[in-house]
Amino acid sequence: MTGPGSTALLRERYGERYRWLLLLSVMVGTMASIMSSTIVNVAIPDMSHYFTLGQERAQWVSSGFMVATTVAMLTTPWLLARFGYRATYVGAMVLLLVGGIGGGVASHYGLVLAARVLEGLAAGVVQPIPAVIILYAFQPHEQGRASGIFGMGVVLAPAIGPSIGGLLVDWFGWRSIFFMVVPFCIASIALAYRFVPVSSPGGAVAGQSGNTLDWRGLVLGAVGTLCLLNGLVALHGGPGLQAGALLLAAFAALAVFIAWQRRQLARGATPLMDLRLFEYRQFAMGSIVAFIYGTALFGSTYLLPVFMQLGLQLSASHVGTIMLPAGIVLAITIPIVGRLADRHPTHWLVGTGLALLAISFALMVLVDLTSGLWMLVVFAVLGRIGLGFILPSLNLGAMRPLAKPLIAQGSSAISFVRMLGGAAGVSLCGIVLEWRIAAHGDSLQNAVSSPARITAFGETFLLLTGLCLLALVAAWQLRAPKAAAPGR
């Protein structure tokens, strides 16, 4: 394809630097989508007070976003094949822009939740795209470097975002945080029309395949995800029969989803998730790591701000300030590890990151109402160093063995399982936290914290520690097979 906006024409116009300009363009939009997923956490206490919400309803501001993101990720390969990079990317950015503005002006909790769902749908479509671009546009010896530079740029937004967001919440109220994504969305749309090609992955003409979206698979994925999350919520505070029924429905939806995807493959149709991906051992193990890692990461992203505000009685601006050094260290670590990923086995890098993350969660047990703020800063920095080892390494280790036609599907699938783990992690942390607080005779509705509440938070952090250690077992299987055919 050599028409206006084609990959070949853009590469000819901008030369060798084009692949970096393309990466920069999608980096800005991904920054906006990730910022929208994390920055709202510093405003949850204020939002809960404004709308008079309990903890379970308030956490749906995060969980609703995660559900929408998780389901939308399954559509990215089809959207890229049907509409091409540019139309898919710009459409998602417009949706994110509408969600940001809508959440900022909403006067009812239902409208806020709807805005978060729109933002989640946009984030789900956008986030698998960079990995596809890196594996198509960059040579194997520079993919780690590209992943590292991209990762550094992406984490700068959530690193700085909570600090700025905390100040905005204190100064202007919780509504102001929704507007933070607006300038990023506008900039990303402008860059997309200049540097993002209209073609599909591999330079194919958009819409050439003629395949229709697997709506049945998408509905099954959405139903399964919703049943899983509601079942987890019902495990605590709800009827046991209801929880069991919802979790059973989630597993049933998963079984039917797998059977339907196999049928789609057998009859030559394009499945929502190509199950041939899991014939590659490294991808299968990487998916397990991604699920558990997502549970721990997003659970902690929800838990840490709540711990600092409702447990340690710190203001939103204090929370942002404490997290800022950790974010900066993460941004520095990622490009360094990205270069290492081009020369060293990814299973060692991912395993090191998981171990550091587990240690940082375990150390949170030492924090109480009399602890110095430096302890929180040090422990948060340690955890972010761990993330810096995982982020540029996991996708490369899982996806490098894939055949080129499966790359878009692989990026979508591994992002899906990571976000499914994340959606479950947010709910799981909220459930376990309320359970342990109630067990210690306290309540989050009490204005003043207590040692019992701090103990409950510590026990929830230990849950995350255990999950990271469990992921270490699967991470070891990311090592390349010594002598076997690819995919076996």
Side-chain angles (χ1 to χ4, degrees):
M1 180 179 179
T2 56
S6 69
T7 304
L9 185 63
L10 291 169
R11 189 179 292 118
E12 180 181 343
R13 180 183 304 167
Y14 296 105
E16 284 299 308
R17 63 193 178 112
Y18 171 66
R19 64 190 187 279
W20 296 104
L21 294 171
L22 173 59
L23 191 62
L24 170 66
S25 302
V26 296
M27 181 190 297
V28 175
T30 309
M31 286 168 66
S33 70
I34 292 176
M35 178 185 292
S36 67
S37 72
T38 58
I39 194 174
V40 75
N41 292 322
V42 299
I44 284 179
D46 281 23
M47 200 181 301
S48 301
H49 179 73
Y50 182 86
F51 291 112
T52 319
L53 303 174
Q55 189 68 18
E56 289 181 5
R57 288 191 67 201
Q59 77 183 37
W60 270 100
V61 174
S62 295
S63 297
F65 181 97
M66 294 297 178
V67 172
T69 302
T70 303
V71 174
M73 282 177 170
L74 293 173
T75 68
T76 300
W78 179 82
L79 289 170
L80 290 176
R82 176 67 178 83
F83 300 105
Y85 282 118
R86 184 184 295 175
T88 301
Y89 182 76
V90 170
M93 286 298 97
V94 170
L95 200 61
L96 186 63
L97 181 64
V98 171
I101 296 173
V105 301
S107 56
H108 299 284
Y109 176 66
L111 296 177
V112 172
L113 191 56
R116 290 291 290 163
V117 169
L118 286 181
E119 289 184 320
L121 292 172
V125 170
V126 166
Q127 290 185 27
I129 293 177
V132 178
I133 288 174
I134 287 171
L135 288 169
Y136 268 109
F138 291 85
Q139 295 299 316
H141 68 274
E142 58 183 7
Q143 288 170 356
R145 180 186 171 204
S147 295
I149 292 174
F150 173 79
M152 179 185 66
V154 165
V155 301
L156 279 175
I160 299 172
S163 300
I164 299 174
L167 293 173
L168 290 175
V169 170
D170 285 346
W171 293 346
F172 304 109
W174 61 267
R175 296 180 184 279
S176 59
I177 62 164
F178 280 92
F179 294 109
M180 282 193 66
V181 300
V182 172
F184 287 90
C185 290
I186 294 172
S188 67
I189 291 170
L191 286 168
Y193 276 106
R194 188 168 183 181
F195 300 119
V196 177
V198 297
S199 60
S200 296
V205 178
Q208 202 170 39
S209 65
N211 291 317
T212 58
L213 180 63
D214 181 10
W215 286 105
R216 292 184 185 178
L218 189 62
V219 169
L220 285 168
V223 169
T225 303
L226 283 169
C227 287
L228 174 64
L229 292 183
N230 281 290
L232 288 172
V233 171
L235 278 175
H236 173 63
L241 184 61
Q242 179 186 353
L246 286 169
L247 292 175
L248 185 61
F251 286 116
L254 173 64
V256 176
F257 177 82
I258 292 173
W260 175 252
Q261 297 310 293
R262 289 186 181 278
R263 182 179 175 185
Q264 290 286 88
L265 273 175
R267 67 182 190 178
T270 301
L272 201 63
M273 181 185 292
D274 196 324
L275 298 179
R276 290 175 297 179
L277 291 166
F278 298 97
E279 296 176 5
Y280 294 78
R281 191 199 70 186
Q282 288 167 267
F283 184 85
M285 292 299 104
S287 298
I288 294 172
V289 175
F291 180 85
I292 301 173
Y293 159 73
T295 303
L297 172 62
F298 287 98
S300 67
T301 300
Y302 164 78
L303 188 63
L304 271 172
V306 175
F307 172 54
M308 294 182 196
Q309 289 178 273
L310 300 183
L312 302 178
Q313 305 286 285
L314 300 175
S315 67
S317 56
H318 269 99
V319 172
T321 304
I322 289 169
M323 295 303 296
L324 181 59
I328 294 172
V329 169
L330 175 59
I332 295 170
T333 304
I334 284 180
I336 296 173
V337 176
R339 288 183 177 272
L340 292 176
D342 285 328
R343 303 191 299 272
H344 298 283
T346 52
H347 69 280
W348 281 110
L349 300 176
V350 174
T352 300
L354 287 169
L356 292 173
L357 197 58
I359 292 169
S360 73
F361 290 146
L363 288 173
M364 284 294 175
V365 177
L366 303 178
V367 179
D368 57 31
L369 291 167
T370 63
S371 300
L373 294 183
W374 66 268
M375 291 179 66
L376 284 170
V377 174
V378 170
F379 298 162
V381 165
L382 183 63
R384 290 309 183 258
I385 293 174
L387 289 181
F389 272 83
I390 299 169
L391 287 172
S393 310
L394 180 56
N395 275 10
L396 289 179
M399 292 175 57
R400 269 177 175 163
L402 298 181
K404 284 283 187 181
L406 289 175
I407 285 176
Q409 280 274 357
S411 180
S412 171
I414 202 164
S415 298
F416 170 77
V417 296
R418 185 185 70 246
M419 292 303 297
L420 185 62
V426 172
S427 294
L428 187 63
C429 281
I431 294 161
V432 172
L433 176 60
E434 284 212 345
W435 167 46
R436 297 315 303 157
I437 285 177
H440 288 288
D442 197 359
S443 170
L444 286 177
Q445 305 305 317
N446 295 336
V448 180
S449 187
S450 67
R453 182 181 299 184
I454 300 298
T455 300
F457 273 105
E459 291 167 351
T460 311
F461 279 115
L462 286 178
L463 167 71
L464 298 178
T465 302
L467 289 173
C468 290
L469 294 176
L470 184 62
L472 267 172
V473 179
W476 183 251
Q477 299 301 317
L478 282 171
R479 65 190 189 279
K482 291 183 179 179
R488 301 297 175 195

